[in-house]
Amino acid sequence: MQGSGRWRIDVHQGLGAFSGFVFSSGDRGQGATSITVTGMRHPLSATSEATPQQLRDAMATFATGVTIITTRDAEGNPVGLTVNSFSSVSLTPPLVMWCLGNGSSCRAGFDHHPFFAVHVLAADQQALAMQFAGAPAQRFEGVALDTNARGLPILPGCLAVIECERYQTLEGGDHQIYMGHVLATHQVNAGPALVYHQRRFSHT
């Protein structure tokens, strides 16, 4: 843009990125004041999107809590798995969300039952997290289950249990996104939490 009293912006593009810009408060040659900013170089990938491995590596730097989410299948059998893709969504109404791979053996159970329970794991429950990340047939072996009023399997010793009714299911690429309407919360334990970071367990 040129003319007295107006701003003029020149953007100089480098290889796939902005390398700097110049702006002035008037016409060239008429006492305009110019400022040049250099070194603004933001390298861009040659591809249109990150690869699955690049995304895995980036997300591994993001520390999360660890949960086990449970429900029951059409035959009434307990279903559950370890999940760290869990997050709150809304306070009014109270909503949470988590993600499940499309090919998961648990998907039929979570699609069938209208309720699920989220268990926030304590620091001393790493072995339980590993068990529920293993073979589906062995996940509930040796676990002293309780059952709530909605028929959900409840695990002992967790920091908190969040009881939900399925609110919405969305398709998200190779995962399903389950949103839950929170019906009740139970804070069972006030100890440190189990944490997952850089593909390793830790604690707060």
Side-chain angles (χ1 to χ4, degrees):
M1 228 175 2
Q2 293 190 9
S4 178
R6 298 183 179 181
W7 294 96
R8 189 178 69 77
I9 301 175
D10 295 326
V11 179
H12 307 287
Q13 284 191 294
L15 295 176
F18 293 116
S19 58
F21 60 85
V22 177
F23 63 91
S24 63
S25 59
D27 294 332
R28 285 184 177 177
Q30 296 182 4
T33 301
S34 296
I35 300 175
T36 302
V37 179
T38 59
M40 296 176 59
R41 191 170 299 279
H42 307 286
L44 301 178
S45 171
T47 60
S48 60
E49 63 181 18
T51 66
Q53 189 59 52
Q54 287 171 334
L55 181 56
R56 288 190 192 99
D57 292 343
M59 293 306 297
T61 68
F62 180 57
T64 70
V66 183
T67 70
I68 292 174
I69 304 181
T70 61
T71 190
R72 291 193 184 272
D73 64 17
E75 288 74 43
N77 299 312
V79 175
L81 74 164
T82 301
V83 172
N84 72 333
S85 59
F86 171 73
S87 177
S88 62
V89 175
S90 168
L91 295 177
T92 308
L95 300 176
V96 296
M97 61 154 283
W98 61 283
C99 302
L100 179 66
N102 290 338
S104 171
S105 61
C106 297
R107 183 176 171 185
F110 285 103
D111 286 345
H112 163 76
H113 205 288
F115 302 103
F116 59 85
V118 181
H119 303 77
V120 181
L121 299 191
D124 61 359
Q125 292 183 303
Q126 178 177 334
L128 191 63
M130 294 294 293
Q131 182 171 332
F132 274 80
Q138 300 172 358
R139 290 177 183 173
F140 289 90
E141 284 187 0
V143 179
L145 287 178
D146 196 1
T147 301
N148 70 0
R150 298 177 178 87
L152 295 174
I154 303 299
L155 307 176
C158 302
L159 294 183
V161 178
I162 303 170
E163 298 181 22
C164 302
E165 182 176 15
R166 190 173 63 246
Y167 181 82
Q168 192 174 11
T169 304
L170 305 170
E171 292 187 3
D174 56 8
H175 279 64
Q176 295 292 303
I177 303 168
Y178 291 89
M179 293 181 63
H181 181 204
V182 179
L183 304 176
T185 65
H186 310 279
Q187 289 184 289
V188 182
N189 189 330
L194 188 64
V195 172
Y196 195 65
H197 179 237
Q198 291 290 17
R199 303 180 177 91
R200 293 187 300 271
F201 287 105
S202 182
H203 60 83
T204 56

